[in-house]
Amino acid sequence: MSGDGVYRRGFRFLRTRRRVVARLAAWSVLESGQTFLTGYALARAVDAGFLAGRATVGLSWLGAAAIAVVAGAYGTGRVYAAVAALVEPLRDRLVRDVVDRGVRDADRGALSRLTQQVEIARDTFAGVVMVSRSFVFTAAGALVGLFSLAPLLLLVVGPPLAAGVALFALTLRPLTHRQEAFLVADEELASQLGAVCPGLRDITAAGAEEQVAAAVRERIGAEQRAARSLARWGVLRVVALTVGGQLPIVLLLATAPWLLAHGVTAGALVGALAYVGQSLLPALQNLIHGLGTSGSRLAVVLRRLSPDTPDTDTTGTPEPPPTSRSVPAPVPAPAPAPTGSAPPAAVTLSHVTFAYGPASEPVIEDLDLTVPHGTHLAVVGPSGIGKSTLTALMAGLLQPTGGSVRVRRAPGARPGEHHRVLIPQEAYVYTGTLAENLGHLRPDPVPEAELLAAADAVGLTALLDRLGGPTAEVAPATLSAGERQLIALARAHLAYTPLVLLDEATCHLDPAAEARAERAFARRGGTLVVVAHRVSSALRADRVLVMDGRRTAYGSHAELLDRSPLYRDLVGAWSGASQPSLTLGDPDGVDAVAGPGLSRDGRHVVAYGPVGQMETARDLRDGGPVGGE
């Protein structure tokens, strides 16, 4: 993102919070009143009070100045509250952007951005607002006060002040570039250390300590050089402060005889010195040190946090940036396939293998899977078998150690639509309005009617009404896990994505609520992949994938009951009942119902009655003994 882009985005952010900005300005005016009385009251106390022999008048003016200080302190307290109302929404938005990019693009610099740069942006934005606001209103109060005392005082104070501010402004762009170079070096060092630290044992075993140490030293040296260049440019800030803040004091003292000879009173001169020494100099010092460091860092960090980089799927195909829409775009239905051909695939896994470490056993090994567009797929299997890993591979969060994962754009999809959305078991809800949470995956604000329709579809309406509607503020800590899942489900339902991945995203809902949400996604259209934790999810699916290491099975519920022993076991464990009746000659040698064709060679077992109950010859349909047992 260019510097102009950062500034435009900043102005848009402030425009959306006009009331907060207006409140901030109003309390700052109270502070500027304190600044005005600091010099004006002192001048009147000297001229009309003490020099005129009227001590009571002088003390009264000083008392007025003291009251103004108390009022200004009260305004300063209200200013901090207004600044907080600007800072925290910015931080939340930056965190969302970083997490989005980290999840979508597997950004290697996301850790530095989330743990360091977002906090830099938060703190520096607060600092920039405070020092900029303080300088503007303090300078306005002081300059008005100087003009009120004697216009000639502006001729002495104004030019060096303007020159100091102009010199400081000229250093901002070079400082910004050097701040960016420093942050880039910091990111590269963090990325290098992130790659080195987990592999220290392998580095030692391979005898590569020197090579790795040299590479790390180079990154450290680059960051050190960037820091030194940044420090050298800081010298000009000292010059700007000297010219704009300290030179006016010298000029006032040097021109005092001339000023007194041209009608400037002694009190006005004392007031002018107070304006410069107690108001303008501290305000300019805060501006130069605050904006010179914080402002340039903020511009750089915002560019680093929000770069204009295209989204990329697992195949490396760039996605164009989101386009604006005034009406909701439905998820496109799959185009009809030619006669005799298979429907187009939404996800294709070819010989996919994945392990969490070079010495680890593969969680997924040599998996081939094609999920056609419009399919409702349920993924089942024992705990820890790799179901969540599979959805992470489909979502692009993980890269396969072998094979390839391809997520294809749906037929008829519009430019700017992302390929997929993943809702994990622990749903993410952030502080903000309910509408902001629900429309998070949309490029533009979602119309309220569409928000309400999506909420009704997934079963969120009761919670939405209880919270106070779409504009209600959401506090994640006050929501249950199931309520957070409903919000995340409605968010995914509203997204322009043809592929939805639900990784046990309904585990905190009751069966009826889970069924309602899954049926809502089925009516929505597109492709749905559900990691099932209840048998009812598998029964609602078009196809079921049974994961069991290298042994996987894929088919409909009825097909898998007939040919997958693991699936029958899972169905039995889910339902808590006996297995459905199967045909004799089942390949695993377990028959649910005995019959005349039952083999009597000891290799078949009859699943009949409660576990542990003795079977007798009379239980068999043919009435004969079973091998004498």
Side-chain angles (χ1 to χ4, degrees), residues 474-485:
V474 175
T478 65
L479 301 175
S480 68
E483 290 169 340
R484 291 194 296 270
Q485 283 188 335

Side-chain angles (χ1 to χ4, degrees), residues 169-442:
L170 292 176
T171 67
L172 285 178
R173 186 177 293 274
L175 279 169
T176 300
H177 292 326
R178 281 150 183 82
Q179 284 281 0
E180 184 165 17
F182 175 77
L183 283 178
V184 169
D186 181 71
E187 283 184 7
E188 292 178 349
L189 177 60
S191 177
Q192 181 86 359
L193 292 176
V196 167
C197 291
L200 290 176
R201 184 177 61 180
D202 296 334
I203 292 170
T204 303
E209 297 98 327
E210 287 300 325
Q211 295 93 320
V212 172
V216 173
R217 281 196 297 269
E218 174 58 30
R219 299 296 186 190
I220 295 174
E223 185 171 0
Q224 185 181 35
R225 289 191 295 273
R228 287 177 176 173
S229 177
L230 184 63
R232 284 194 293 269
W233 273 91
V235 174
L236 288 179
R237 294 183 303 180
V238 178
V239 176
L241 178 61
T242 301
V243 172
Q246 295 172 341
L247 182 59
I249 296 177
V250 176
L251 292 178
L252 282 173
L253 295 175
T255 59
W258 180 81
L259 291 172
L260 293 173
H262 286 78
V264 177
T265 64
L269 186 58
V270 171
L273 290 170
Y275 278 132
V276 176
Q278 297 183 17
S279 298
L280 287 177
L281 178 58
L284 182 61
Q285 186 173 9
N286 290 335
L287 179 73
I288 290 176
H289 290 295
L291 190 60
T293 301
S294 301
S296 57
R297 293 178 75 188
L298 179 62
V300 172
V301 169
L302 290 179
R303 283 208 299 271
R304 301 297 298 165
L305 292 176
S306 306
D308 291 331
T309 53
D311 300 335
T312 305
D313 65 7
T314 54
T315 64
T317 304
E319 296 181 22
T323 55
S324 298
R325 298 181 180 89
S326 58
V327 296
V331 177
T339 304
S341 65
V347 186
T348 302
L349 287 77
S350 301
H351 303 290
V352 169
T353 297
F354 180 82
Y356 283 98
S360 302
E361 288 293 326
V363 180
I364 296 174
E365 188 170 3
D366 199 30
L367 175 62
D368 289 308
L369 176 66
T370 299
V371 183
H373 279 296
T375 299
H376 178 179
L377 172 67
V379 182
V380 302
S383 177
I385 202 65
K387 303 184 295 296
S388 295
T389 301
L390 176 64
T391 58
L393 288 166
M394 290 183 177
L397 299 181
L398 299 175
Q399 297 298 319
T401 52
S404 64
V405 179
R406 181 173 179 82
V407 179
R408 292 184 174 87
R409 189 181 299 275
R414 301 184 181 188
E417 291 176 357
H418 298 306
H419 292 323
R420 61 234 156 171
V421 57
L422 169 66
I423 303 298
Q425 180 176 349
E426 295 301 326
Y428 176 67
V429 177
Y430 56 85
T431 301
T433 67
L434 193 55
E436 289 171 342
N437 271 277
L438 297 181
H440 177 61
L441 300 178
R442 291 278 287 268

Side-chain angles (χ1 to χ4, degrees), residues 141-154:
L143 293 177
V144 170
L146 288 170
F147 183 81
S148 300
L149 293 177
L152 283 179
L153 295 172
L154 286 178

Side-chain angles (χ1 to χ4, degrees), residues 83-168:
V83 170
L86 285 177
V87 169
E88 296 307 321
L90 175 69
R91 179 184 181 276
D92 292 343
R93 176 173 295 184
L94 293 178
V95 168
R96 294 198 300 270
D97 291 344
V98 171
V99 172
D100 283 346
R101 288 191 59 228
V103 169
R104 185 179 66 241
D105 301 335
D107 181 17
R108 294 185 303 171
L111 179 62
S112 173
R113 292 188 177 100
L114 188 61
T115 59
Q116 181 181 16
Q117 295 182 31
V118 166
E119 291 305 316
I120 290 176
R122 175 180 178 272
D123 294 341
T124 55
F125 178 64
V128 166
V129 171
M130 287 298 294
V131 300
S132 301
R133 172 208 60 83
S134 176
F135 178 77
V136 169
F137 286 93
T138 298
L143 293 177
V144 170
L146 288 170
F147 183 81
S148 300
L149 293 177
L152 283 179
L153 295 172
L154 286 178
L155 295 178
V156 178
V157 175
L161 177 64
V165 173
L167 178 60
F168 165 66

Side-chain angles (χ1 to χ4, degrees), residues 562-574:
D562 190 45
R563 60 184 175 86
S564 173
L566 174 60
Y567 187 65
R568 285 198 303 277
D569 291 342
L570 292 172
V571 169
W574 271 324

